[in-house]
Structures are given as structure tokens and as C-alpha cells.
Amino acid sequence: AQKVTQAQTEISVVEKEDVTLDCVYETRDTTYYLFWYKQPPSGELVFLIRRNSFDEQNEISGRYSWNFQKSTSSFNFTITASQVVDSAVYFCALSGTSGTYKYIFGTGTRLKVLA
Amino acid sequence: DAGVIQSPRHEVTEMGQEVTLRCKPISGHDYLFWYRQTMMRGLELLIYFNNNVPIDDSGMPEDRFSAKMPNASFSTLKIQPSEPRDSAVYFCASSRKIQGTRTEAFFGQGTRLTVV
């Protein structure tokens, strides 16, 4: 079975602090894909990043960075110098390559950035 | 591209009424997904289609729910009869494979359904 766990239900930080959102996944597939999505208060789901299981390079995009570690089945997301506009619910998702073509989402982490 | 388009954005209906949610996927995408989001259960996959064919409907809660995809550019999710516990935000998403590589799913704005 495939599963995504986001143990942090809610995190509050003060603006300009760095924050890391954790994501742990389970899959038996050797090839799989991991994703992060952002859901701002307006409600839409915005794609942030995709990573395949063969690419363990960390990625940085502006203030966002992602740390993928197969050894610990984790795909963590760090926001550097957080801003109020980063306040949202963040979802980690997994899609395997055996069986059905599903995107399995974690329960999300609500990030509140306080001014 | 206009993205995934869902209609209506909001729907309020009385218990027992039929509700139809609509989705237009991104052109060229051959996978279409229906998700439901609630506070209690998070984002649940209800059903997905590949090339207009339903592949996995194991997430459909019960026989009151049905989904169709008559062509590559249109899908519906129908609830008949609706019940208050069906109140949720329903998302449609689409994606495609590129040379065997799975891409991300793009989501519509969602339909907020309230059954009173």
C-alpha cells in the first residue's frame, strides 16, 4: 500500500523565520514520484514541485528548497525567511508506477506566518 | 491554457436533490481525477479516468455517486440523491504522461457543495 504521512498538523512561525515541513512516504514501488502542493486560503491547489525516485538531488527555488532522502523515505520542504503570503496548507503527495495511477495525498500541514 | 475548469464554483442544494458537477480538463491531458476534500477526511480520490475510461472507482463512497467522461474534454460527477454528509469541496484534476514519465496533476478551482 502507498501512504503519505505529514505528522505536523499546524505550524506557526514569525515572519522571516525558516520553517521545514515534513513528509514521510511509504511505497513498494522502485519508481515513484513525489509532489508538493500549496493550498492558500482562497482554496485552489497549486503545484510546487515534482521529484522522481531516481533523482535525489535537492532543489532550491527562491526561498523554497526540498530535501529528498530515499534512505529515510522523506521529502521535506523548507521555506527560508518566511513571509505572511506563505500562510497556507501544504500537501505532500505520492504517485507510484505499479497498479493504478493515483496521487495519494498526505493530510496537509497548515502553516501560519505571523507578522 | 485555461487550466482545469470546474462548474459550478458553489452549489447549495436540498437533501434528496440531484447534483451534477462538471469538469473540463486541460487539453491533451489523458488522465482525469475527481477528489473530495473535507476537514475530517482530507483529500480523497473518488475516481479516475484514462482516455475517457474509468480505471479506479474504489473511492466512490456509494451508489449515490456516479461519474462519466463522454469525451476527452468533459466529465461529470453526479450525486443522486444528495445528503448533508456529501457537503465538501470537490476537485477535478488532470494530468498526462510524457515519454512514460508521470507529470503533476493540475487542479481546478473546486466546487463547494453544501447540502442542507
Side-chain angles (χ1 to χ4, degrees):
Chain A
Q2 299 181 358
K3 185 179 179 182
V4 175
T5 300
Q6 295 180 257
Q8 303 153 308
T9 305
E10 184 169 313
I11 301 175
S12 291
V13 298
V14 176
E15 208 171 18
K16 299 184 183 176
E17 285 186 359
D18 299 348
V19 58
T20 295
L21 310 182
D22 297 333
C23 173
V24 174
Y25 62 91
E26 295 175 29
T27 181
R28 294 179 182 175
D29 293 346
T30 53
T31 302
Y32 52 89
Y33 299 84
L34 296 164
F35 309 83
W36 275 95
Y37 285 82
K38 174 182 181 179
Q39 187 173 42
S42 50
E44 71 271 26
L45 280 155
V46 179
F47 164 74
L48 295 177
I49 190 171
R50 169 176 60 104
R51 177 64 80 229
N52 72 53
S53 53
F54 296 107
D55 182 2
E56 288 194 72
Q57 273 194 327
N58 292 330
E59 178 152 341
I60 299 174
S61 176
R63 296 184 297 106
Y64 294 173
S65 62
W66 291 269
N67 184 334
F68 175 32
Q69 291 195 336
K70 285 178 75 170
S71 60
T72 55
S73 297
S74 65
F75 185 42
N76 297 337
F77 173 30
T78 296
I79 301 174
T80 302
S82 59
Q83 300 177 1
V84 172
V85 294
D86 296 326
S87 297
V89 181
Y90 292 86
F91 291 94
C92 181
L94 163 71
S95 186
T97 53
S98 64
T100 60
Y101 189 105
K102 292 181 178 181
Y103 295 84
I104 307 299
F105 283 80
T107 50
T109 297
R110 181 177 299 277
L111 173 65
K112 293 184 177 180
V113 182
L114 308 172
Chain B
D1 200 319
V4 176
I5 299 173
Q6 291 186 246
S7 64
R9 291 291 310 277
H10 302 273
E11 177 81 34
V12 180
T13 190
E14 290 186 350
M15 183 174 61
Q17 296 297 306
E18 177 179 297
V19 175
T20 299
L21 311 182
R22 297 172 176 79
C23 174
K24 176 179 168 56
I26 293 173
S27 176
H29 284 193
D30 50 0
Y31 289 86
L32 183 138
F33 306 82
W34 282 101
Y35 282 86
R36 178 171 68 176
Q37 185 177 33
T38 61
M39 289 294 291
M40 291 298 295
R41 302 175 68 92
L43 271 165
E44 304 174 88
L45 177 65
L46 301 177
I47 185 172
Y48 82 89
F49 296 82
N50 177 216
N51 292 322
N52 314 336
V53 176
I55 303 299
D56 186 342
D57 64 355
S58 59
M60 295 285 262
E62 47 198 273
D63 291 346
R64 297 184 298 107
F65 285 68
S66 62
K68 294 182 180 180
M69 192 165 186
N71 57 62
S73 59
F74 183 65
S75 177
T76 60
L77 178 68
K78 186 178 293 187
I79 308 172
Q80 166 63 21
S82 57
E83 297 182 2
R85 59 190 168 124
D86 302 329
S87 297
V89 179
Y90 291 81
F91 286 102
C92 176
S94 69
S95 70
R96 59 178 175 163
K97 274 187 181 180
I98 301 176
Q99 296 178 338
T101 297
R102 189 152 301 172
T103 65
E104 56 276 14
F106 291 91
F107 284 76
Q109 298 275 66
T111 295
R112 181 174 296 277
L113 174 65
T114 303
V115 183
V116 298

